[in-house]
Amino acid sequence: MKILIIDDEDDIRRIARLSLARIGRMDVIEAAGGAEGVRMAEEQQPDGILLDVMMPTMDGPATLAALQQNPRTAAIPVLFLTAKALTAEIERLRQLGALDVLTKPFDPVTLPTQVQAALGSRRT
Amino acid sequence: LSAWDDAFRELRVEFVRESRDKVAQAGRLVEGLRTTPGDREKLLELKRRFHGFAGAGSTYGFPRISELGSEGERACNEVLRDEAPFPGALVDQFHGLLDELGRELDGPPSESPDGPDATGSAGPRPWDVLLVDEDEDDRRTFAALAEHEGIATRAVGSRAEAVRAMAERMPDGIITKSELVDGSGYELVEHARSLPAGDAAAILIVSRVARFLDKVEAIHCGADGYFEEPIEWEALMRRLHHLLDRNRAETARVLVVEDDRPQAAFARTVLESAGYATRVCDDPQHFESDLRSFRPDIVIMDIVLPGASGYDLVRYLRQDERHATLPVLFLTTEGELQARIEGARAGGDEHLVKPVAPGLLLSTVTSRVERARFLRSLLERDGLTRLLTHTAFLERARVAIAARQRRPERSKAWVMIDLDHFKDVNDRYGHPVGDRVLAALAGLLRKKLRQSDTMGRYGGEEFAVLLEDLKEQEAVRLVGRVLDEFGRSTHVVPGHGSFRVTFSAGVAMLEDGLDLDAWRQAADQALYVAKAAGRNRVVAASRLRGPAA
């Protein structure tokens, strides 16, 4: 399974990569911003995208909109990663069309299970 | 150590180093805001910094950093939303937050997300043990020893305080003096056993004066162990640990047979994070000894191993009927039908293809272990009394004989119990009533003997018990008290009034040179003599030999 992480924070990308690759045995690719992320998703066709909500210039919702408008990336499931765990915020993000919303800070040991569960639930 | 741990630690070092730079940069932004308070760009940038700390701190094991980051982000948002002039006092507040962030980075992480505690639910919490003892010296000694062994202690001086402490939270273990300022320790133990979670607690009684009956009394009231003053602390702690571990042994054990280290580390990390005890067997030659010493609840088996295949090991395992219910989960890189067929033929229960998602591995292990445990309890326990079956009891007796060779100082008594005139009960009141009598005796044995004692339904109306650490006289006395209580209880049959039943029992100590058959016969003969002498009594095998020379 190939996962694309889009997050402007180095430390988050690094720990998410380690967690998903080592514990989850997933292939991990990264982008440090929304525009780069959309391009990468189009080229590499990941099985899922972990998308940070708050990023400079092109934020998470804008990135999601760009992914949805591109026919080559519209079908790729997106999981938002947000530090705001408010129910209203999570609901708002879901309504934008994200498959699920994961909260930061996350536990690196269980992150792969969460990602797996979210992506797996979509198939059945 | 697993590769995950090492890699995680490296990243954490990097996180701390970079975060220090970020704290310094944020500090400069705050200084900039002091001179140009209305600079929204600077404020947005500062907010992003705080947001970063909030999102990453806990992930790297610094929950306080996440809290501080959230606080800073919230403060920034308030100013941005209100479009209010930037209050000067905020500069100092920001500096305060950043100073504390810096201090957190200098300290050790307060949680270690690479350990089993990280997932919150999984990690074993420390044992909670209640000491009921007014003696200050005892309290101090116990607190020191317990702390050393990772046991959390509560100490109270009286029976009333102890009852309150138990109501607040039932401890995992209780140590009480036999005589307390406001009552009897024995009664306290009986009270503890009557509480909802009191069954599982490990209970030790410490008696001030060594009277013959104390030990019998202690066990009768429900204690698991008995000590005399002056307390031999080392022995007491050893016993306490043994009893506590027995309860925790409910943690399922997973044996991972895997020679590839990263794969083994992966399985281990996932399983231990969910609270399973795991052992890795990386050499098929050790498989048998691991099975014996670790007694796994499930085996996760790789196929390609040095010197043997996983299929061979499972075929070998299935030849032993004691492992008939042990679930085996094959983990392979081969997903083909042929591999699955081969695995099933060897006696495997499940077949997962690597790489396995942690969630799938966990859910498979959990469901398999639960079902296997249930199955084993059905096979080992008698349906009516929930005591061990004849076969399971004999198996434990064999283990006890083997254990005596290693630890000859621990005495073992075989007690054979047979209900008196039980046929009359069945004939007169019918089998359902007879069954109720059997269940009542089983319940009384469970209540009045120690959890560590082995109890079985040996035959129709015959029960067998193995008692440890008691002299012959003490065992006779203890069983005699159970007999007294059982004989006094009335069994009510609606419409037919009520009746009482007694039993006869024979007690035989495990002596040097006795094998299973000879030991059992000795107990049987003592039981026979008890019946011949008029029933309703307990006879020791040594009496059959006449007075000792």
Side-chain angles (χ1 to χ4, degrees), chain B residues 473-494:
Chain B
Q473 266 185 308
E474 292 168 336
V476 167
R477 190 84 208 180
L478 179 62
V479 177
R481 295 194 56 158
V482 176
L483 172 56
D484 280 349
E485 191 164 338
F486 184 68
R488 275 201 309 273
S489 59
T490 47
H491 308 273
V492 179
V493 187

Side-chain angles (χ1 to χ4, degrees), chain A residues 8 11 14 23 105-107 109, chain B residues 18 48 55 59-60 113 118 266:
Chain A
D8 60 313
D11 42 20
R14 270 199 301 268
I23 294 186
F106 53 79
D107 179 341
V109 175
Chain B
E18 290 184 2
R48 270 195 356 93
T59 301
Y60 283 96
F266 161 71

Side-chain angles (χ1 to χ4, degrees), chain B residues 154-176:
Chain B
R154 288 184 280 165
V156 294
S158 69
R159 184 174 161 220
E161 287 174 286
V163 168
R164 269 201 300 280
M166 286 178 207
E168 203 174 285
R169 187 177 69 246
M170 192 63 201
D172 301 304
I174 300 167
I175 302 171
T176 179

Side-chain angles (χ1 to χ4, degrees), chain B residues 133-152:
Chain B
D133 187 338
E134 52 172 345
D135 186 311
E136 280 297 325
D137 279 343
D138 284 350
R139 288 188 187 203
R140 266 196 297 276
T141 311
F142 178 66
L145 288 171
E147 189 192 353
H148 184 65
E149 305 194 18
I151 294 174

